[in-house]
Amino acid sequence: MADVIQQQVQTATISGHHEVDYLSDGNGIKDWLYTVDHKRIGIMYLILVLTAFLAGGLLAMAIRLELLTPARTIMDAETYNRVFTLHGAIMVFLFIIPSIPAALGNFVLPLMLGAKDVAFPRLNLASFYIYVLGACMMLGAILTGGVDTGWTFYTPYSTSTSGSVALTTMGVFVLGFSSIFTGINFIATIHKMRAPGMGWFEMPLFVWGMYSTAVIQVLATPVLGITMVLLVLERAFGIGIFDPRIGGDPVLFQHFFWFYSHPAVYIMILPGMAIISEVIPTFSHRTIFGYRGIAFSSVAIALVSFIVWGHHMFTSGQSQLINGVFSFLTFIVGIPSGIKVFNWVATMYQGRITLKAPMLFAISFLLLFTIGGLTGLFLGSLSVDIHLHDTYFVVAHFHYVMMGGTVIAFLAGLHYWWPKMFGRMYNEKLAALSCALIFVGFNVTFLTQFVLGSRGMPRRYYNYLDQFQPLHQFSTFGSWILGLGFFIMLGYLLASLRGPKNAPADPWGGTTMEWQALSPPITHNFSGTPVLTRAPYDYRNVPQGVDK
Amino acid sequence: MNEWLRATLPVAASEHAKDVDFFYIFLFYLSLFFFVIIGGLAVYFPIKYRLKPGEKRRSSHITDNFFLEMLWTVVPSLLTFVLFVWGFNTYVASFTVPNDAMEIHVRGRKWNWTFEYPDGMAGGGKLYVPLNKPIKLIMDSEDVLHAFFIPAMRIKQDVIPGRYVYMTFTPNLAGEFQIFCAEYCGKDHSGMLATLVVMTDAQYETFKTEGPPEYKQMNPVEIGTTIYKSRGCQSCHSLDGTRGDGPSFKGIWGKTEQFADGSSGVVDENYVRQSVLEPQAKVVKGFEPIMPTFQGSLRPVEINGIIAFIKSQKQ
């Protein structure tokens, strides 16, 4: 690593731009493609995950449009099955998992620690290119026939259906390494590269969240890799591990799959929680309430998340005792999330609150994530889950957590660090409008789906009974509001890039170290090594003038 | 409010369904209570503590509060423990089979359900059960995963190839109830439906001897068509002349066939009836003797239906 930085210093010195901001520090294509600067890698990740989000979002709009009427609306059943599979796979593997850690985290984590870069900059770039390779494999799978298994690839359907299952699962396998590399990098960076004076409990809570996420990424992702390889071997050679006709057990696949994919739910939500832990204190201009509670609950979630996978399998035929154990553990994993929510709300008490766009998204997060969490009580309770399992209730629940939670938090973070990343402010009024449209559209779309599910509408249905049509139509209507909200956001964010670099170093009055760097930061982040002089979120000595 | 909430659930056709609904409604109010507190404060605080234009004010420096943090750790823990015990008990009860349960075999395949009753009769698409009688469904799948979901009973179970699973219910309401496949199984997953028909004892006795009530509105050819499609005839006997594992039905009626034992005979009422009940007796030459017997699993009216159906398959 040292040689890399040395090399950069020389380049910078030779070209005479010692303090040039990272965006202007060489704009040839090679300056970007060969960069080891965590900020540039973060931006490249950001562009790709946003593209994936756009693609996954358009597929979601197509799904909702198809469900406007029973039977055929715009596509046939086989296309529909491919579209919802692709929507799930893109959103999970190409968007949500890398969104906060690899895009935003890559950018701000070293800045927050007062470091010049992550611990292994080349590994970081490798992670990016592995992501690109995995994405290309999935794109190849789409072009060669697509996949109709659902993003969960359940056997024996996935071993018997036609389509590009092998290429897709290998794509997921490759993407897993990208995630592992990011995780390794963050763990090493957090352990070894904190600024002088920054102990573990002086770290911003975002860092605690990233640390917990990284632990899961490193420990759980290999299991997904193994599962995907076994699935491909089963398809190609009939090794008989999942196929009951040759002595395999199809339910074993579900155990393997969810052993990764349940912790992966926390790979998705912990970074969202981490962002909220930054945004709420900053815009309340107040210290966080219960720092240790929030920090330890992230770690607790990361640990317990490994032993709750069986709640995805309550109807799979596993024993009643096992179902009981997983139900119990599922309730336990809910407690730390509850603690965080209470702490965030308490942080606003007697604050000095400014309702800028990131804060609006954070409040939106609190409301939506709370609904997502509380509806989890229905699904954790065994007898009620048996009725709701695999219905739209579950679809609504995980969208409240994944989209109402993680995606909204990602948007909060994107708006929070946008000035830091690009040195430019965006249109606040349009941001508020977009936030409101997304909030309303989201609830119209997904609150409706709780009712659909309670009434018995199963998920992954191309056609449905006439009695469900009014609710489906209402939900589809909501998706249009949601789409409009995102469309406006795309507009004002792109427009902001055309404006002058007008963002101050600390536009929101934040106390964490990234706000000491310039906006956008110089290539080496800080001039000299920054020293921690106060704990994060300590507003006692911050001049609290008017409206910052 | 409770009536409105019940409208978000399907009709409840068993005691267990009512128990689940009660629990569901309790969970709804519990969630509402917490949502009002958390959501209320999440909206109230930003309004109450919003910095007004021109205002100069400092925020409080409150880093933690042991009592509060214990409160919102311990109370939710206790509450969720109650939920766990409640959910687990009602779940175990709902999978505990009463001793006098009537056993019905359920088979899932892409994309339909078939049912085999204790007396050997079988049928597809509609599951007929007597009112107030505990039912045990013993289920397996022929191909991929499916899930048998009866919303009115609030129960669901994945159906797995190569393994028997079961579920049980005791219907306490007569009527027709929807059955869904709830585990994704491919192209026609959403068409893999069936109907649960809960009948009075008298109706069920009639069903056992005379078949499903809708037979009364059907002519023999229609009954035969239903049997042809639901009992597996179509997998070997084509209607378009294509050679399958058995002779095609196209134009077979009245034909003189050579049999494997060297004899020959005309395809008429008696031949069809014998072939259904004793399929190995006269196998058409060139075909393997692989057809299973339907002795005891087809009612007379259904055999007449098959005869009429084959008669209708003209050259």
Side-chain angles (χ1 to χ4, degrees), chain B residues 120-139:
Chain B
M121 296 297 163
K126 285 194 172 186
L127 171 60
Y128 297 91
V129 297
L131 185 65
N132 291 325
K133 172 88 181 159
I135 307 295
K136 179 183 185 185
L137 301 179
I138 299 163
M139 311 189 287

PDB file of all heavy atoms in Angstrom, chain B residues 120-139:
ATOM      1  N   GLY B 120     -60.374 -45.552  -1.851  1.00  0.00           N
ATOM      2  CA  GLY B 120     -59.728 -45.865  -3.117  1.00  0.00           C
ATOM      3  C   GLY B 120     -60.142 -44.962  -4.258  1.00  0.00           C
ATOM      4  O   GLY B 120     -59.512 -44.943  -5.306  1.00  0.00           O
ATOM      5  N   MET B 121     -61.224 -44.219  -4.065  1.00  0.00           N
ATOM      6  CA  MET B 121     -61.636 -43.290  -5.111  1.00  0.00           C
ATOM      7  C   MET B 121     -60.615 -42.154  -5.191  1.00  0.00           C
ATOM      8  O   MET B 121     -59.908 -41.876  -4.228  1.00  0.00           O
ATOM      9  CB  MET B 121     -63.018 -42.718  -4.803  1.00  0.00           C
ATOM     10  CG  MET B 121     -64.117 -43.760  -4.803  1.00  0.00           C
ATOM     11  SD  MET B 121     -64.310 -44.499  -6.431  1.00  0.00           S
ATOM     12  CE  MET B 121     -65.229 -45.970  -6.013  1.00  0.00           C
ATOM     13  N   ALA B 122     -60.594 -41.507  -6.330  1.00  0.00           N
ATOM     14  CA  ALA B 122     -59.627 -40.423  -6.481  1.00  0.00           C
ATOM     15  C   ALA B 122     -60.201 -39.368  -7.408  1.00  0.00           C
ATOM     16  O   ALA B 122     -61.172 -39.621  -8.132  1.00  0.00           O
ATOM     17  CB  ALA B 122     -58.323 -40.958  -7.052  1.00  0.00           C
ATOM     18  N   GLY B 123     -59.617 -38.219  -7.380  1.00  0.00           N
ATOM     19  CA  GLY B 123     -60.089 -37.153  -8.254  1.00  0.00           C
ATOM     20  C   GLY B 123     -59.115 -36.001  -8.222  1.00  0.00           C
ATOM     21  O   GLY B 123     -58.231 -35.942  -7.355  1.00  0.00           O
ATOM     22  N   GLY B 124     -59.271 -35.108  -9.163  1.00  0.00           N
ATOM     23  CA  GLY B 124     -58.373 -33.962  -9.201  1.00  0.00           C
ATOM     24  C   GLY B 124     -59.149 -32.669  -9.142  1.00  0.00           C
ATOM     25  O   GLY B 124     -60.339 -32.634  -9.449  1.00  0.00           O
ATOM     26  N   GLY B 125     -58.484 -31.609  -8.740  1.00  0.00           N
ATOM     27  CA  GLY B 125     -59.100 -30.284  -8.807  1.00  0.00           C
ATOM     28  C   GLY B 125     -59.973 -29.924  -7.626  1.00  0.00           C
ATOM     29  O   GLY B 125     -59.948 -28.799  -7.164  1.00  0.00           O
ATOM     30  N   LYS B 126     -60.757 -30.899  -7.122  1.00  0.00           N
ATOM     31  CA  LYS B 126     -61.605 -30.597  -5.977  1.00  0.00           C
ATOM     32  C   LYS B 126     -61.367 -31.613  -4.881  1.00  0.00           C
ATOM     33  O   LYS B 126     -61.327 -32.817  -5.143  1.00  0.00           O
ATOM     34  CB  LYS B 126     -63.080 -30.611  -6.378  1.00  0.00           C
ATOM     35  CG  LYS B 126     -63.476 -29.378  -7.171  1.00  0.00           C
ATOM     36  CD  LYS B 126     -64.976 -29.241  -7.264  1.00  0.00           C
ATOM     37  CE  LYS B 126     -65.325 -27.889  -7.905  1.00  0.00           C
ATOM     38  NZ  LYS B 126     -66.763 -27.627  -7.893  1.00  0.00           N
ATOM     39  N   LEU B 127     -61.193 -31.111  -3.674  1.00  0.00           N
ATOM     40  CA  LEU B 127     -60.984 -31.979  -2.521  1.00  0.00           C
ATOM     41  C   LEU B 127     -62.270 -31.980  -1.700  1.00  0.00           C
ATOM     42  O   LEU B 127     -62.679 -30.942  -1.184  1.00  0.00           O
ATOM     43  CB  LEU B 127     -59.801 -31.445  -1.702  1.00  0.00           C
ATOM     44  CG  LEU B 127     -59.544 -32.086  -0.335  1.00  0.00           C
ATOM     45  CD1 LEU B 127     -59.268 -33.573  -0.474  1.00  0.00           C
ATOM     46  CD2 LEU B 127     -58.348 -31.408   0.347  1.00  0.00           C
ATOM     47  N   TYR B 128     -62.928 -33.159  -1.624  1.00  0.00           N
ATOM     48  CA  TYR B 128     -64.210 -33.262  -0.917  1.00  0.00           C
ATOM     49  C   TYR B 128     -63.980 -33.825   0.472  1.00  0.00           C
ATOM     50  O   TYR B 128     -63.337 -34.873   0.617  1.00  0.00           O
ATOM     51  CB  TYR B 128     -65.168 -34.172  -1.682  1.00  0.00           C
ATOM     52  CG  TYR B 128     -65.522 -33.637  -3.048  1.00  0.00           C
ATOM     53  CD1 TYR B 128     -64.777 -33.993  -4.162  1.00  0.00           C
ATOM     54  CD2 TYR B 128     -66.591 -32.763  -3.210  1.00  0.00           C
ATOM     55  CE1 TYR B 128     -65.088 -33.491  -5.418  1.00  0.00           C
ATOM     56  CE2 TYR B 128     -66.912 -32.257  -4.465  1.00  0.00           C
ATOM     57  CZ  TYR B 128     -66.157 -32.628  -5.560  1.00  0.00           C
ATOM     58  OH  TYR B 128     -66.465 -32.123  -6.782  1.00  0.00           O
ATOM     59  N   VAL B 129     -64.466 -33.132   1.486  1.00  0.00           N
ATOM     60  CA  VAL B 129     -64.317 -33.639   2.853  1.00  0.00           C
ATOM     61  C   VAL B 129     -65.626 -33.419   3.614  1.00  0.00           C
ATOM     62  O   VAL B 129     -66.371 -32.488   3.328  1.00  0.00           O
ATOM     63  CB  VAL B 129     -63.171 -32.926   3.614  1.00  0.00           C
ATOM     64  CG1 VAL B 129     -61.837 -33.192   2.960  1.00  0.00           C
ATOM     65  CG2 VAL B 129     -63.426 -31.432   3.713  1.00  0.00           C
ATOM     66  N   PRO B 130     -65.893 -34.307   4.593  1.00  0.00           N
ATOM     67  CA  PRO B 130     -67.097 -34.130   5.405  1.00  0.00           C
ATOM     68  C   PRO B 130     -66.886 -33.066   6.489  1.00  0.00           C
ATOM     69  O   PRO B 130     -65.771 -32.886   6.976  1.00  0.00           O
ATOM     70  CB  PRO B 130     -67.318 -35.510   6.019  1.00  0.00           C
ATOM     71  CG  PRO B 130     -65.998 -36.183   5.977  1.00  0.00           C
ATOM     72  CD  PRO B 130     -65.196 -35.563   4.880  1.00  0.00           C
ATOM     73  N   LEU B 131     -67.955 -32.422   6.842  1.00  0.00           N
ATOM     74  CA  LEU B 131     -67.938 -31.358   7.850  1.00  0.00           C
ATOM     75  C   LEU B 131     -67.575 -31.937   9.217  1.00  0.00           C
ATOM     76  O   LEU B 131     -67.992 -33.049   9.553  1.00  0.00           O
ATOM     77  CB  LEU B 131     -69.331 -30.719   7.887  1.00  0.00           C
ATOM     78  CG  LEU B 131     -69.575 -29.499   8.767  1.00  0.00           C
ATOM     79  CD1 LEU B 131     -68.755 -28.326   8.276  1.00  0.00           C
ATOM     80  CD2 LEU B 131     -71.064 -29.132   8.739  1.00  0.00           C
ATOM     81  N   ASN B 132     -66.817 -31.178  10.001  1.00  0.00           N
ATOM     82  CA  ASN B 132     -66.497 -31.516  11.396  1.00  0.00           C
ATOM     83  C   ASN B 132     -65.686 -32.789  11.559  1.00  0.00           C
ATOM     84  O   ASN B 132     -65.584 -33.323  12.655  1.00  0.00           O
ATOM     85  CB  ASN B 132     -67.764 -31.615  12.254  1.00  0.00           C
ATOM     86  CG  ASN B 132     -68.397 -30.253  12.430  1.00  0.00           C
ATOM     87  OD1 ASN B 132     -67.704 -29.246  12.526  1.00  0.00           O
ATOM     88  ND2 ASN B 132     -69.724 -30.209  12.442  1.00  0.00           N
ATOM     89  N   LYS B 133     -65.165 -33.320  10.481  1.00  0.00           N
ATOM     90  CA  LYS B 133     -64.364 -34.539  10.578  1.00  0.00           C
ATOM     91  C   LYS B 133     -62.896 -34.134  10.448  1.00  0.00           C
ATOM     92  O   LYS B 133     -62.521 -33.435   9.503  1.00  0.00           O
ATOM     93  CB  LYS B 133     -64.757 -35.472   9.430  1.00  0.00           C
ATOM     94  CG  LYS B 133     -63.898 -36.693   9.270  1.00  0.00           C
ATOM     95  CD  LYS B 133     -64.388 -37.836  10.119  1.00  0.00           C
ATOM     96  CE  LYS B 133     -63.484 -39.063   9.961  1.00  0.00           C
ATOM     97  NZ  LYS B 133     -63.642 -39.972  11.096  1.00  0.00           N
ATOM     98  N   PRO B 134     -62.042 -34.552  11.397  1.00  0.00           N
ATOM     99  CA  PRO B 134     -60.618 -34.203  11.246  1.00  0.00           C
ATOM    100  C   PRO B 134     -60.046 -34.865   9.990  1.00  0.00           C
ATOM    101  O   PRO B 134     -60.324 -36.038   9.725  1.00  0.00           O
ATOM    102  CB  PRO B 134     -59.961 -34.798  12.494  1.00  0.00           C
ATOM    103  CG  PRO B 134     -61.082 -35.096  13.423  1.00  0.00           C
ATOM    104  CD  PRO B 134     -62.308 -35.345  12.597  1.00  0.00           C
ATOM    105  N   ILE B 135     -59.291 -34.105   9.250  1.00  0.00           N
ATOM    106  CA  ILE B 135     -58.719 -34.586   8.004  1.00  0.00           C
ATOM    107  C   ILE B 135     -57.205 -34.557   8.136  1.00  0.00           C
ATOM    108  O   ILE B 135     -56.636 -33.574   8.612  1.00  0.00           O
ATOM    109  CB  ILE B 135     -59.110 -33.668   6.823  1.00  0.00           C
ATOM    110  CG1 ILE B 135     -60.629 -33.469   6.748  1.00  0.00           C
ATOM    111  CG2 ILE B 135     -58.547 -34.209   5.505  1.00  0.00           C
ATOM    112  CD1 ILE B 135     -61.406 -34.711   6.436  1.00  0.00           C
ATOM    113  N   LYS B 136     -56.559 -35.623   7.709  1.00  0.00           N
ATOM    114  CA  LYS B 136     -55.096 -35.599   7.624  1.00  0.00           C
ATOM    115  C   LYS B 136     -54.726 -35.750   6.157  1.00  0.00           C
ATOM    116  O   LYS B 136     -55.096 -36.723   5.512  1.00  0.00           O
ATOM    117  CB  LYS B 136     -54.495 -36.748   8.439  1.00  0.00           C
ATOM    118  CG  LYS B 136     -52.964 -36.763   8.364  1.00  0.00           C
ATOM    119  CD  LYS B 136     -52.354 -37.945   9.103  1.00  0.00           C
ATOM    120  CE  LYS B 136     -50.835 -37.843   9.096  1.00  0.00           C
ATOM    121  NZ  LYS B 136     -50.189 -39.016   9.695  1.00  0.00           N
ATOM    122  N   LEU B 137     -54.008 -34.781   5.642  1.00  0.00           N
ATOM    123  CA  LEU B 137     -53.556 -34.848   4.258  1.00  0.00           C
ATOM    124  C   LEU B 137     -52.122 -35.374   4.258  1.00  0.00           C
ATOM    125  O   LEU B 137     -51.250 -34.798   4.916  1.00  0.00           O
ATOM    126  CB  LEU B 137     -53.603 -33.465   3.601  1.00  0.00           C
ATOM    127  CG  LEU B 137     -54.963 -32.768   3.566  1.00  0.00           C
ATOM    128  CD1 LEU B 137     -54.830 -31.401   2.895  1.00  0.00           C
ATOM    129  CD2 LEU B 137     -55.996 -33.606   2.838  1.00  0.00           C
ATOM    130  N   ILE B 138     -51.905 -36.457   3.549  1.00  0.00           N
ATOM    131  CA  ILE B 138     -50.550 -36.995   3.408  1.00  0.00           C
ATOM    132  C   ILE B 138     -50.113 -36.642   1.985  1.00  0.00           C
ATOM    133  O   ILE B 138     -50.769 -37.017   1.019  1.00  0.00           O
ATOM    134  CB  ILE B 138     -50.540 -38.509   3.640  1.00  0.00           C
ATOM    135  CG1 ILE B 138     -51.035 -38.783   5.066  1.00  0.00           C
ATOM    136  CG2 ILE B 138     -49.145 -39.088   3.425  1.00  0.00           C
ATOM    137  CD1 ILE B 138     -51.462 -40.191   5.313  1.00  0.00           C
ATOM    138  N   MET B 139     -49.016 -35.887   1.886  1.00  0.00           N
ATOM    139  CA  MET B 139     -48.762 -35.219   0.612  1.00  0.00           C
ATOM    140  C   MET B 139     -47.362 -35.522   0.091  1.00  0.00           C
ATOM    141  O   MET B 139     -46.406 -35.634   0.856  1.00  0.00           O
ATOM    142  CB  MET B 139     -48.910 -33.702   0.806  1.00  0.00           C
ATOM    143  CG  MET B 139     -50.191 -33.319   1.539  1.00  0.00           C
ATOM    144  SD  MET B 139     -50.507 -31.555   1.540  1.00  0.00           S
ATOM    145  CE  MET B 139     -49.288 -30.994   2.692  1.00  0.00           C
TER     146      MET B 139
END
